[in-house]
Structure formats: structure tokens, C-alpha cells
Amino acid sequence: MKSCVLFALFVPVATLLAAQSPSGGGYFGPADGDGFRPIFNGTTLTGWSCVDMSYWSVRDGALTGESTAENPCTKNKFLVWQGGELSDFELKLKFRVQGNGCNSGVQFRSVFRPDGLAVGYQADIYNSGPYLGGVCDEMHHRDGPELLSANGKKSVIDKSGNRTATDIGPLVKMNLWPEWNEYHIIAKGTQITLRINGQTASQLIDEEEAHLDLKGMLGLQLRSGKPMTVQFKEIVVRD
């Protein structure tokens, strides 16, 4: 009888531990019916890292970046997924943000320097306007504006860096705190599509040989500046 009782207790504990720990490659649990796998367990920072973890915690079932008057953010702080590089992939998550112009973003196909700053593509988050849902070129220092594709635009960058942009529809809008928003990032080869709350925000075809990024790391941004809070949850990846 004792062995049966111990086994019965062990099974749910093991199941719980499996849900809290990466199952390999930074993923938590199996893929869903559409092939998406969770990369955040909803309760801890396991599988994620920042050069200064004092800005990051888990609240409301979400990865939470926060700066305050007592703990100001004077340099961008990225919480980096430790599952390795992604090349062709889709990512879905929910986010909400308040303060500091609602300025944040999702870094992808990026390199993170020893000081924690990022170089690469960013799916931008802003309160409104061209940056919301646009693809930024974080610290890449290529010629031209850092905003490679703006909200409501499809941009094509040729091998020499020449850019053309066309309209693809009305500008997307962001739900204000405390409402949540959905971000969907699709990166396939040189083509990137960003969707917010089910609407295509921007598209980018980047053929610029000296600067395009076809693989790299994933990270979440706490923007330097005024006090703010940004939260990300239900983060899933299909690659």
C-alpha cells in the first residue's frame, strides 16, 4: 500500500515539475495543434536572463519589466530567451505597457552584446503612430532611418540598401493599459510580417546584403527613460 501511495503522489509532482522546467531547447511542454510551443512557464524567470535582473520579475502570470524613480532604467534592458537562436519562425505573445510613451519591443534575430544591448531586428511597441507594429533596426547603423517598415506599410530594401514603401492598410492601434494586446511575428527568409490584434501592421522584405539578419536571439525590451511597466505572457514559438 505504501508504494502505491508514494507513486500516486509522485505522478502529479513530476507533472508539475515538467511544466515548470524547459523540456529541451528552452521550451516548456509539447506543441499545440498548430505546432506552437511555450517558451515561458507563466510563473518563474526560468529560461530567461538579463544582465541586470533587478528590473524583471513575474507578475500577473507575465514576464514583467519595470523601472521606477528608485530604480531608473538609464540603458535599455533586454530579457533574453536562453533557448538559442531562431531563424525562420513564428512567435505569438500578449503584451501590455504603461508609462514612458508605451515604448518597448520584441527583439528577434539579434545579437546581445556583453553590456546587454541588442543589435538586430525589433518588433516595435509604441503608444501609436508609425513605430507601433513597425520593424526597427536596433543599433545596426545602416544608412537611412532605423525604422525599416512603418505601421501600415510594406517596405522593400534591395541588395544595395535602396528602400521603397507602399501602403498596406489602415494603421493598427494598441489597447491601453490594463487591456492586453496580441503580437504575431512571422519571419521567413528575408520576409518579415508583424501583426497586432489580428491586423497586419507592417511587412518587410530585407535584401540588403551587408545588414540583413537571418538568425539570432530573442529578447524583450524594457526601454530606458521615464518609469514604466511592460508585461509579456502566453509566449509561444513555432519554428
Side-chain angles (χ1 to χ4, degrees), residues 39-62:
I39 61 172
F40 167 50
N41 64 18
T43 58
T44 73
L45 292 167
T46 301
W48 296 82
S49 183
C50 178
V51 294
D52 187 346
M53 294 297 288
S54 70
Y55 294 95
W56 291 94
S57 63
V58 177
R59 295 207 310 261
D60 309 317

Side-chain angles (χ1 to χ4, degrees), residues 101-167:
C102 298
N103 195 344
S104 182
V106 180
Q107 206 73 28
F108 62 98
R109 287 184 174 178
S110 296
V111 173
F112 292 89
R113 305 185 332 188
D115 63 0
L117 294 180
V119 180
Y121 295 123
Q122 183 180 119
D124 216 290
I125 296 171
Y126 202 64
N127 53 16
S128 62
Y131 274 84
L132 175 63
V135 180
C136 263
D137 192 23
E138 184 80 5
M139 295 186 65
H140 230 319
H141 304 302
R142 69 171 95 192
D143 293 337
E146 65 171 1
L147 187 59
L148 304 181
S149 66
N151 189 354
K153 299 287 186 179
K154 176 181 179 179
S155 295
V156 178
I157 308 176
D158 69 17
K159 293 181 179 181
S160 299
N162 301 306
R163 307 184 189 191
T164 58
T166 55
D167 294 333

